[in-house]
Amino acid sequence: PRLAIFRSNKEIYAQVIDDLNGKTLAAASSKGASGSKVEQASVVGKAIAEQAIAVGISSVVFDRGGYLYHGRIKALAEGARESGLKF
């Protein structure tokens, strides 16, 4: 499975995708979250990790979507790792 990230100016979204079957297994976004954008990204990372582990996925490939690994992308990745997701 692949952990795909999309970042807009206001929100950040994460999906765990099974590319072999073409299905989204888990998804999380920062809609309605409070705090700074980096704090929101960390919360999204923790939420996506919890959903993925609940579905039975413990290891994923990190697809940062061409975004640099710093700021919100890094916060999301670290939040997911803290919650037990491996990549």
Side-chain angles (χ1 to χ4, degrees):
R2 170 173 60 108
L3 174 60
I5 307 299
F6 174 74
R7 186 190 76 189
S8 71
N9 287 336
K10 293 184 179 182
E11 311 290 338
I12 190 160
Y13 306 89
Q15 292 181 327
V16 176
I17 302 168
D18 178 6
D19 287 320
L20 295 177
N21 297 320
K23 296 194 184 259
T24 299
L25 306 172
S29 75
S30 63
K31 284 210 180 263
S34 61
S36 70
K37 291 179 182 179
V38 174
E39 291 168 352
Q40 290 176 9
S42 180
V43 169
V44 171
K46 292 175 183 175
I48 196 72
E50 291 169 4
Q51 289 182 23
I53 290 170
V55 175
I57 298 166
S58 61
S59 179
V60 295
V61 174
F62 188 61
D63 176 12
R64 55 188 172 82
Y67 302 112
L68 295 177
Y69 186 82
H70 103 76
R72 292 192 279 164
I73 303 298
K74 183 178 178 182
L76 190 145
E78 289 174 352
R81 284 190 187 110
E82 287 174 10
S83 294
L85 201 58
K86 295 177 185 164
F87 51 89

